[in-house]
Amino acid sequence: MSSPTSPVLPRGKTRIGLTMNAWLVYVFFYAPILLLVVFSFSNDRNVGRWGGFTLDWYRAFGENEEIQQSLSASLRVALISTVVSVVLGTMAALALERFSFRGKKVFDGLLYLPIIIPDVTMAVMMLLFFSQLFDALDAWFGLGLSKGFTSIVLSHVAFSISFVSVVVRARLAGMNDQLEQAAFDLYASRWQAFRHITLPLIAPGIIGGALLAMTLSLDDVVITQFVSGPGSTTLPVYVFSLIRRGVTPLINAVSVVMLAASITLVALSLLADRAKSSPQPTPSKETDNA
Amino acid sequence: MSGLAVDGDLIVGDVPDQVAQANPEFERAAEKAESRRGLIMALPAYLYLLVFFALPLVIVFVYSFATRNRFGGTDLSGWNVEAYRKLGEPIVRDILFRSLWLAIITTVLCLLFAYPFSYFLATRSATTRNIMLVFVMIPFWSNFLVRNYAWRVLLGNDGPVSQITEAIGLGETRILFTPLAVVIGLVYGFLPFMILPLYASIERIDMRLLEASRDLYASGWQSFRRVLWPLSRPGVIAGSILVFVPSLGAYVTPEILGGAKTTLLGSYIVTQFLTARNWPVGASLSFVLMSVMLGATLVYFRNGGRTL
């Protein structure tokens, strides 16, 4: 909520200082990104030098099979983990906001942990868990499973549920349940009330949560690196390994494509945000990808 | 009441006596049914997190007390606290202090830029404010790896930064692979985490208090120090934790921008698992790291932080 009187900008030097600082922050935010876009079109083997316009690196991006494979893996992982975490996260949010049940406090705490926990710790947890699990499955049933697509999806769902439920809960908390009660008074069944009243009202929250889950899934490097197996890496993990081997203009082009994808997702989430009737603070991604 | 209204189909309109009579048993049964419904709704996510989150956490804890065998594997026997004792060794201690130090510098730098920025933002008109906020959100949501990579390009050999400093006669700069490069990358990555909570708390302040302080002849500095700063403290604490915590566990940034001499906690943990194959030490370090984060988060919630 805005304060009774909006703050006044001080005069004189302070004012100039504040304005300059604001510009500086924006230059700091955007100069690196814009320069990266420029250099992705540069016809020079040195990643940070302008050597005339070319689309070669984008062509190389399109032709590189490993990149295409990891890109498609990334998209499939993001899609599946988003759908699963949206369903589970929304149900959790409804349960926590609209019901009281045994063990609610514990569940609430458990739901917050994946948001707080550092990426590296989560990665370690998943690595140890899956190696234990696969050892056990091998010993008991003789299943020779190994880390790969499934373990990546399972891990992504594990951290996405919490983010989805936080976003949906913010939306649910912002609306009272009078409309739902009215629907019940008018003999709506539980399902009808949910389908025709609750769901449309929380839809922006669900969409926002889904976009957040998708962004997190497409962003993740550390956790995925720990649970992926040979032949099953996502694009960020593959790019990360490329960068460590040495930078090439090809990485510039891949980066710009990834950047464009995340900016599209931001734009979509801002649109979803605008559809919200009440102004609410946008939940942040917090510790993601540290 | 809600129990009755919710189970509307049980109430038949033409027998009002049944509704009028408060029946404690009926109420209790309805409450129980409600509780069961809530649990059933929560159950899928609950079970999922128990299996794929809580259980892994327990496994890490168990591994931190296990023994490393000669073949680089880990024996789940001979329980000991050797891995925790190793945290006191000079190499690990150096890494811990370095990570702590870089995380503190990052937090202070973010605060120095974000505070005036957030104040400036709060003084703008609603429209300008929204536009400015959107342009803070874009880097915030953009791919973290790519944003770090951008600095790798900028700071690289013969890169734009070096070209500029050479052009103005400062000579070549070699920032890449130094702690400075890591700090730049971390500030770049986490500055929005500082701006958003700070802005939220400054915007809420009743600015008449600032005016009152000026009317009472406080200097600009005094009214900042005595009025604005104390009132914005929840935002400062929230932002600082949101920056400090991920900086401390950072892995991607030091890997891309840091050099061999700037190994940080995150990279060290990863090395313990993927190359050194000393899982107990890696597990104990991740557990320590998580405890620090949990502690910080508790402080955050104590201070009334809500916007996660």
Side-chain angles (χ1 to χ4, degrees), chain A residues 26 29-30 132 244 252, chain B residues 48 63 132 135 149 188 255:
Chain A
Y26 281 117
F29 273 151
Y30 286 94
Q132 280 290 312
R244 291 215 284 188
N252 286 1
Chain B
Y48 194 96
Y63 260 87
M132 285 178 77
F135 281 97
Y149 173 71
Y188 189 63
E255 280 298 302

Side-chain angles (χ1 to χ4, degrees), chain B residues 88-275:
Chain B
E89 280 180 13
I91 308 173
V92 186
R93 219 179 38 213
D94 281 357
I95 289 168
L96 276 171
F97 280 130
R98 190 184 300 137
S99 307
L100 213 58
W101 178 228
L102 285 188
I104 291 172
I105 294 178
T106 304
T107 312
V108 171
L109 280 176
C110 281
L111 192 59
L112 281 177
F113 286 106
Y115 201 96
F117 181 85
S118 308
Y119 183 80
F120 181 79
L121 192 56
T123 62
R124 305 287 87 192
S125 72
T127 327
T128 322
R129 220 185 278 182
N130 281 336
I131 296 170
M132 285 178 77
L133 272 176
V134 167
F135 281 97
V136 174
M137 295 302 284
I138 290 174
F140 176 67
W141 281 67
S142 300
N143 194 294
F144 191 80
L145 176 69
V146 169
R147 287 193 293 143
N148 278 299
Y149 173 71
W151 279 100
R152 171 81 173 247
V153 172
L154 283 186
L155 298 176
N157 260 352
D158 260 0
V161 170
S162 191
Q163 287 167 28
I164 290 170
T165 51
E166 246 176 297
I168 56 176
L170 288 173
E172 255 184 288
T173 44
R174 297 207 172 271
I175 301 176
L176 195 61
F177 305 137
T178 65
L180 178 63
V182 177
V183 170
I184 292 175
L186 290 175
V187 171
Y188 189 63
F190 301 130
L191 190 55
F193 290 1
M194 185 66 96
I195 291 176
L196 295 173
L198 260 182
Y199 164 72
S201 85
I202 292 178
E203 197 243 7
R204 242 175 257 147
I205 296 173
D206 183 348
M207 288 298 160
R208 286 176 303 189
L209 293 170
L210 269 184
E211 283 164 26
S213 76
R214 296 311 292 269
D215 288 346
L216 294 166
Y217 300 103
S219 68
W221 168 251
Q222 280 173 323
S223 60
F224 165 74
R225 181 69 196 78
R226 301 281 183 87
V227 182
L228 189 62
W229 177 258
L231 286 174
S232 58
R233 261 231 336 242
V236 172
I237 293 172
S240 299
I241 290 173
L242 290 183
V243 172
F244 179 78
V245 163
S247 301
L248 189 60
Y251 167 65
V252 172
T253 310
E255 280 298 302
I256 292 180
L257 298 171
K261 282 181 190 159
T262 51
T263 304
L264 296 186
L265 198 51
S267 322
Y268 188 71
I269 292 176
V270 173
T271 315
Q272 292 309 307
F273 278 96
L274 299 188
T275 39

Side-chain angles (χ1 to χ4, degrees), chain A residues 180-198:
Chain A
E180 287 151 72
Q181 298 296 349
F184 291 136
D185 286 349
L186 295 167
Y187 300 101
S189 69
R190 267 173 186 287
W191 171 248
Q192 284 172 322
F194 174 74
R195 173 70 191 77
H196 296 290
I197 308 293
T198 318

